[in-house]
Amino acid sequence: MILDKYNRIHNYLRISLTDNCNLRCFYCMPEENYSFMPSAQLMQADEIKQIANAFIGLGTNKIRLTGGEPLVRKDADTIIKSLATFPIKLSLTTNGVRLHEFMDTIREANITSINVSLDTLQADKFQLVTKRNNFKRVWDNIHLLLENNIHVKVNVVVMKGINDGEINEFIAWTKHFPIHIRFIEFMPFTGNRWMDDKVFTWQDILGTIEMKYSWIKLKDEVNDTTKKYIVPGHQGTFAVISTMTSPFCSTCNRMRLTADGRMKNCLFSKGETDLLAAFRRGEDIVPIILGNVQEKAAERGGQFVEDYHQLQAIGIENRSMIAIGG
Ligand code: SAM
Ligand code: SF4
């Protein structure tokens, strides 16, 4: 079992397969001076399997593949299938652009739920946010998943003045489709031009929804990062991820591996542990994993202040989101 000094059990690992991506979301990927990691620096498919196995031996029962965009990696198919042989819940966070090419793999790996990111329902705004013209592809692929009875969670990063006006369009989508919309408060990472006045809070989001819909609060699970709701009569549900205004750190069970094999005990941790280098040297990585989690801060990497308006984003020591793995 992996425990931290606050007695939180850690059984959920997120593995980034690459920091490369076929989109260029401005809130995730720094515009200037970003160079992708050379492929020799990345964990290779067999290394991912063996490192994952060490985590599973310590009680990890859930693995999510992320990135960058996990589905742009050439051997994504091999990695997904090899991790699917473990007795874990395997899932994926993707921008959805290449999902149609992976339907057989998803079926074979028995993946039953996928998180797809989509911040806008307008094709021109999609282009503005991602710098690519793929709205229709993502939209069609979300419906392809639904047709194949795969549960879809849609991640929407809500940013004031950019897409906050579309919140109720997303809610309208839940009327006839069994999708789950997750509104995420905009978070600061290196190079993402975060400003406190761009944050559209959990309270703002619910206030906007209340102008048009009534909702019922649903029960959240112990390790949920979300607060879940349903509009009565709708097939789908929605949730808010309120990292900036009301974090969920007290029940956190998450660990992260970056594509270059560094372990992070928190999305906002300053430090990281080079697990891949130790693995390549033939060292036992079990004590290194346990030691990394022991160092975990109580909340948000120990780098935030209570009131996000007072936050100096420039002072947060971290990677950019695309290099961490969301
Ligand atoms: N490429 C995949 C995707 O877009 O779903 C997986 C990686 S992406 C980094 C994972 C999630 O992080 C996405 O849902 C994305 O919207 C979210 N994300 C990225 N930057 C963020 C930020 N600054 N604040 C909040 N969420 C962010
Ligand atoms: Fe790529 Fe996902 Fe980051 Fe957008 S959010 S740039 S799709 S990794």
Side-chain angles (χ1 to χ4, degrees):
M1 186 155 62
I2 309 177
L3 274 179
D4 71 357
K5 55 178 176 281
Y6 304 97
N7 277 331
R8 292 174 291 197
I9 297 172
H10 285 67
N11 55 5
Y12 179 9
L13 175 66
R14 302 167 80 103
I15 304 178
S16 171
L17 296 190
T18 174
D19 67 334
N20 210 328
C21 190
N22 42 4
L23 300 184
R24 296 282 181 274
C25 308
F26 70 84
Y27 55 75
C28 175
M29 183 173 172
E31 231 164 57
E32 289 133 27
N33 304 327
Y34 191 82
S35 34
F36 295 115
M37 298 169 186
S39 55
Q41 208 175 304
L42 302 183
M43 294 183 288
Q44 303 303 301
D46 59 322
E47 291 171 330
I48 293 176
K49 187 169 186 187
Q50 291 181 64
I51 293 174
N53 192 35
F55 278 90
I56 293 164
L58 290 167
T60 297
N61 55 21
K62 184 171 173 186
I63 293 182
R64 174 174 299 280
L65 301 179
T66 179
E69 172 49 35
L71 301 184
V72 300
R73 185 162 160 157
K74 284 199 182 69
D75 53 359
D77 174 74
T78 310
I79 296 167
I80 293 170
K81 285 180 185 156
S82 80
L83 293 178
T85 60
F86 288 124
I88 50 159
K89 187 171 186 319
L90 181 64
S91 48
L92 193 67
T93 299
T94 170
N95 61 31
V97 173
R98 296 193 62 190
L99 271 170
H100 58 292
E101 299 168 47
F102 282 84
M103 291 310 290
D104 288 342
T105 311
I106 289 164
R107 229 172 277 125
E108 219 176 292
N110 213 9
I111 294 176
T112 53
S113 176
I114 294 185
N115 292 10
V116 185
S117 303
L118 182 64
D119 304 310
T120 172
L121 299 173
Q122 300 169 13
D124 53 345
K125 204 182 287 175
F126 185 96
Q127 164 97 44
L128 198 81
V129 172
T130 70
K131 303 191 186 72
R132 295 291 183 272
N133 184 20
N134 287 117
F135 171 76
K136 185 159 185 324
R137 176 55 83 192
V138 176
W139 174 261
D140 288 349
N141 280 347
I142 289 175
H143 289 93
L144 180 66
L145 292 179
L146 294 172
E147 282 156 26
N148 282 275
N149 292 321
I150 293 166
H151 186 51
V152 182
K153 297 181 183 174
V154 178
N155 285 351
V156 184
V157 180
V158 186
M159 292 158 289
K160 205 180 277 179
I162 295 181
N163 59 351
D164 54 308
E166 290 190 62
I167 288 171
N168 283 329
E169 314 285 316
F170 279 98
I171 298 293
W173 196 12
T174 66
K175 187 167 171 61
H176 299 296
F177 293 93
I179 41 172
H180 180 62
I181 308 287
R182 308 186 334 151
F183 298 110
I184 307 174
E185 289 177 348
F186 182 28
M187 300 183 268
F189 295 97
T190 299
N192 80 344
R193 291 183 286 153
W194 179 90
M195 302 282 283
D196 66 314
D197 62 2
K198 286 268 172 296
V199 176
F200 201 73
T201 66
W202 164 37
Q203 293 78 1
D204 295 334
I205 293 165
L206 282 187
T208 303
I209 296 169
E210 271 164 5
M211 284 191 234
K212 192 153 180 205
Y213 298 98
S214 56
W215 45 259
I216 298 170
K217 179 79 194 71
L218 295 171
K219 190 173 173 294
D220 301 312
E221 302 304 324
V222 178
N223 298 118
D224 272 355
T225 54
T226 56
K227 299 168 179 64
K228 290 202 253 12
Y229 306 84
I230 187 165
V231 173
H234 284 209
Q235 285 189 42
T237 49
F238 72 94
V240 181
I241 301 184
S242 54
T243 311
M244 302 309 299
T245 58
S246 173
F248 36 81
C249 305
S250 63
T251 56
C252 183
N253 63 345
R254 291 161 178 74
M255 303 165 285
R256 298 184 135 82
L257 258 184
T258 62
D260 55 346
R262 312 285 167 110
M263 183 173 173
K264 281 175 77 73
N265 55 29
C266 172
L267 184 55
F268 298 106
S269 68
K270 252 187 221 177
E272 35 185 63
T273 307
D274 195 344
L275 221 50
L276 180 61
F279 179 83
R280 286 182 176 171
R281 285 193 300 267
E283 289 173 28
D284 179 7
I285 59 170
V286 165
I288 306 176
I289 294 170
L290 297 174
N292 176 284
V293 174
Q294 270 298 310
E295 293 305 310
K296 182 160 173 154
E299 208 182 280
R300 295 181 292 195
Q303 300 214 66
F304 278 54
V305 288
E306 196 68 27
D307 174 8
Y308 72 86
H309 290 291
Q310 308 301 324
L311 197 62
Q312 297 299 326
I314 200 92
I316 297 178
E317 278 180 47
N318 204 352
R319 297 178 174 216
S320 58
M321 178 60 130
I322 199 161
I324 302 171

